[in-house]
Amino acid sequence: MCETHNMIQTNLYDSKSPTWCPGCGDYGIWASLRTSLNQLGWGAEKYAVVYGVGCSGNMTDFIKCHGFHSLHGRAVPNAEGIKLANHELTVICEVGDGDCYGEGGNHLLHAMRGNADIKVLVHDNRVYGLTTGQTAPTSPSGFKSKSTPQGVIELPVNPLSFAITQGASFVAQGFAGDTIYLIKLITEALSHKGFALLNILQPCVSFNKFYGYAYYKERIYRLEEDNHNPESKEEALKRVMQDETRIPLGIIYKKERPTYQDQVGVLAKGTLVKQPMNNPKEFTSLLNIFTENPL
Amino acid sequence: MINLTWKIGGEAGFGIMTTGHMFSKIAVKHGYKIFDYIEYPSLIRGGHNVYEVRVSDEEIYSQEKKVDFLFALNKETYDLHKEEVREGGIIVYNSDNFKLNTGEKERNVAIYSLPLSKIISDIGAQKVMENNVALGATIAILSMEINALYLIIESIFRKKGQEVIDKNKEAAKAGYEYVTKNPPDGFDHKLLPRKAEPQIIATGNEAAGMGAFVGGCQFFVAYPMTPSSALLHIMAMYGEKYGVVVKHAEDEISVMNMAIGASYAGARSMIGTAGGGFSLMVEGLGLAGITETPVVVMVGQRPGPATGMPTWTSQGDLQFVIHAAQDEFPRIVLTPGDINEVFWLTAEAFNLAEIYQTPVFILTDKYLLESHASVPVFELNQVKINRGKLISFEEGDIAENYLRYKVTEDGIPKRALPGMKKALFIANSYEHDEYGWSTEDPKERVRQVDRRARKLETFKKTISKQNVYGDTVADLSIVAWGSTKGPVLQAMKDIKGRSDKIKVNFLHITHAWPFPADCVGDFLMKAKRTMIIESNSYSQMGLLIREQTGFDIKNKYLKYDGRPFYPEDIQNKIMEVINL
Ligand SMILES: Cc1ncc(C[n+]2csc(CCOP(=O)(O)OP(=O)(O)O)c2C)c(N)n1
Ligand code: SF4
């Protein structure tokens, strides 16, 4: 477990106790999310959290708020639906890398294209945790796991470059072992208007020992201390295309553009679920379109 | 009684669909009832398209095999369909496209040559307007009013300006005048204007769209797939005006999950698909089931499996839709039989979904979704919106100790929404306790499974009756479901027209799940002879009836060639069974 734990104000929450392995990076993410929500001062009516299925998704039971524990891979479309129905809510996805970059990868691509106003926090542990240690789309080539004893053949996905080029308006990376900074990044992501991807490097102490706290600590650096311009796509791409000798943390790319819901005409009239339901009589004009009057 | 079938055929690209639809409108403008049916292959250009419109001054329920007026735009149409023309009928052919040997007179059938291209070039109009020439000629041949066509042209091209309207009218007039100058010989069917009430002309897709709007749909999401793509088009076309957010999602998995998300947040949500797309939605369906999220699912059947025969009809997905997804959870499956039922059951589906907090299906097929019928204008004041046990934001802001999955007697708990201050909950795809926390406790599990099941028992009490048509005491009792209703009713009507001695009755199932076992069992118990009619090869409804009632319906008329039932064939089957 990471050193910053005792700083977290959890008294607002009345949930079940976590069941993650001792030392799992998910604790750091959990603590950071709750602290960020506390700092933002949001009441439960302000947001909803959609969880994928994985160790990451088990966070459902550890936060008392409006939540939706979805299917493996499907949190993103659930979140998009919630946002369109009630865009007053900040909609947060807590998903795994297998969940979001593998099983549900297609959804991510299209949510980014549309700048769907959802905040996707990915627990990137480069392995499948809940199903006890198979390869994930983020695992490097040659990675030996229960499902790839001879080593992974494919290249790993590069979710950050993918997000930068496919329309995400906020792309950032955090580390579960640096919760002080992670809290700040989560707050930035939640405050961003538009699609936000926050990839969180998350040690899985049980099934991916190589990518532990030490591995990341030796390599991470903060972009804001490294003269980075997050408005520039080119610069952002350069940062995420480097090899892993140095791993950037912070806001990699950020450029606001109209969100999906901003461009849906019906929502200009107000929040969908709060719009009054039409009186059936108002549909006479609709029936008229299909009605023929005798000569 | 007036009964006339007009059929036009040609290559895809002529605008057969528009032309046929316009003829349906012309007939309704003359005060007649119509039923139309289209056949086309899964191609954009080329391939053989036909559109037939049956017109009558009495109630009609389906298409028929015989034709009175065949409009052959190409040779293929002539060759394929000339035998269908009844004695006393007419074949009009485009003599600029193909030639018939003189003397090729069919039985007692008039043959009329119409030089479509010449007429259009004489007035200096574009080839795309040939269909108006064809309609103008049709109107003259049937002694109808050309004004009806003018009115329709005006409403179609209103946005394109007077010049376009005038040019199209001119083409119509040219066709009309050509026939007036060269009247056909030996054909004397007339469709003179009659007095009648206004009628809606709609396909199943259009009726489902109207039902959705009127039923309070707020969120519609789909991925195009024949035969339900037109529902997406209608929702997209009118969604903005009537306050519905419409989304064409990236795939059907997303479709189902977006609808679930929107509904969890409180929007009345609907999706439309066909069997293939529904296959991708199945895991999501289970998610709606266990999280108790209302969602209305329109599934249009076509022959399968996989891609199957995209533009043809089938009733092969009944057992799939009833059983799709792992384990058990309540669902409601409605099987409307005609345009009226599609409208009313779709509107009602939104209420059922919210009252029982569960998925509700409208199970239809290509035949129902793409055929037009004329029906009396729906009475909007009959529509009622019932949101079940949904609590208001005011209530949710102050609720204490709220439990989303509270065990209740009728199985239905109160439903809160995200955005409420105090009534918090987790919609959980894992088995959960009354709050929504995940649980693997055996007692909790059983309590929740039992409660969810009770929702369906509560619903069952409301659907004890299904519609029975025909004689109270009958020599033969027919059971059918969904769109087969039309051809069966037509066959029964035609039999009655021939002889009053043959007694037939018919139970039409509009609520396939939960299965109305008492009502179906009762009907079969009283029956002398029974027959089931459906569009699949296993007799899926027959099997369901046996499973649910113990009755084994021995006489089966099953059809799975992609074509709809014809009343003539049903009549023959009825006679076969009665004469056994
Ligand atoms: C459709 C489906 N396929 C497979 C699974 C089994 N499954 C559950 S979690 C998981 C992978 C978890 O890995 P990841 O998404 O990276 O999350 P982590 O557990 O590492 O946090 C799999 C394969 C499932 N629940 N649903
Ligand atoms: S298996 Fe890995 S990811 Fe899952 S709880 Fe344990 S350490 Fe965390």
Side-chain angles (χ1 to χ4, degrees), chain B residues 454-474:
Chain B
R454 277 207 299 284
K455 296 197 293 185
L456 215 54
E457 293 306 314
T458 306
F459 173 60
K460 252 189 182 170
K461 293 179 196 140
T462 69
I463 49 145
S464 51
K465 287 216 172 65
Q466 296 289 281
N467 289 326
V468 176
Y469 304 87
D471 302 298
T472 338
V473 180

Side-chain angles (χ1 to χ4, degrees), chain B residues 496-542:
Chain B
K496 269 272 171 300
R498 279 186 0 204
S499 151
D500 208 26
K501 295 221 175 62
I502 306 157
K503 306 276 185 214
V504 180
N505 61 14
F506 164 41
L507 175 82
H508 179 243
I509 298 174
T510 52
H511 292 65
W513 197 263
F515 192 76
D518 292 347
C519 155
V520 176
D522 214 44
F523 178 76
L524 292 172
M525 186 109 72
K526 292 186 196 133
K528 219 182 210 171
R529 298 184 190 79
T530 54
M531 173 159 71
I532 180 126
I533 307 181
E534 56 182 321
S535 266
N536 55 61
S537 79
Y538 288 5
S539 185
Q540 297 187 17
M541 179 58 85

Side-chain angles (χ1 to χ4, degrees), chain A residues 45 61 66-70 74 77-78 81-82 106-107 110 260 273 278 280 283 285-286 290-295, chain B residues 25 29 196 198-199 201 213 242 247 250-251 253 257 261-262 264-265 419-420 423-430 438:
Chain A
E45 74 278 11
D61 290 334
H66 285 292
F68 193 108
H69 201 169
S70 176
R74 313 303 165 200
N78 290 149
I82 295 170
N106 196 30
H107 307 312
H110 296 280
Y260 191 93
V273 295
N278 285 318
F283 294 99
S285 59
L286 176 69
F290 298 93
T291 304
E292 288 300 331
N293 296 307
L295 288 171
Chain B
K25 289 183 179 180
K29 278 206 174 300
Q199 300 269 311
I201 306 182
F213 282 118
Y242 295 106
K247 169 103 187 154
E250 64 272 15
D251 57 36
I253 300 177
N257 281 288
Y264 157 77
M420 293 178 175
L424 306 190
F425 75 100
I426 291 158
N428 201 336
S429 86
Y430 282 79
S438 310

Side-chain angles (χ1 to χ4, degrees), chain A residues 251-265:
Chain A
I251 301 175
I252 297 164
Y253 178 70
K254 178 176 162 123
K255 196 161 201 174
E256 284 213 5
R257 64 182 179 98
T259 65
Y260 191 93
Q261 85 257 6
D262 288 344
Q263 300 172 75
V264 175

Side-chain angles (χ1 to χ4, degrees), chain A residues 53-56 72 96-99 103 125 127-131, chain B residues 283:
Chain A
V53 168
C55 292
S56 34
H72 186 50
D97 54 328
D99 188 59
E103 185 91 35
N125 57 8
V127 74
Y128 283 9
L130 192 66
T131 42
Chain B
E283 193 192 19

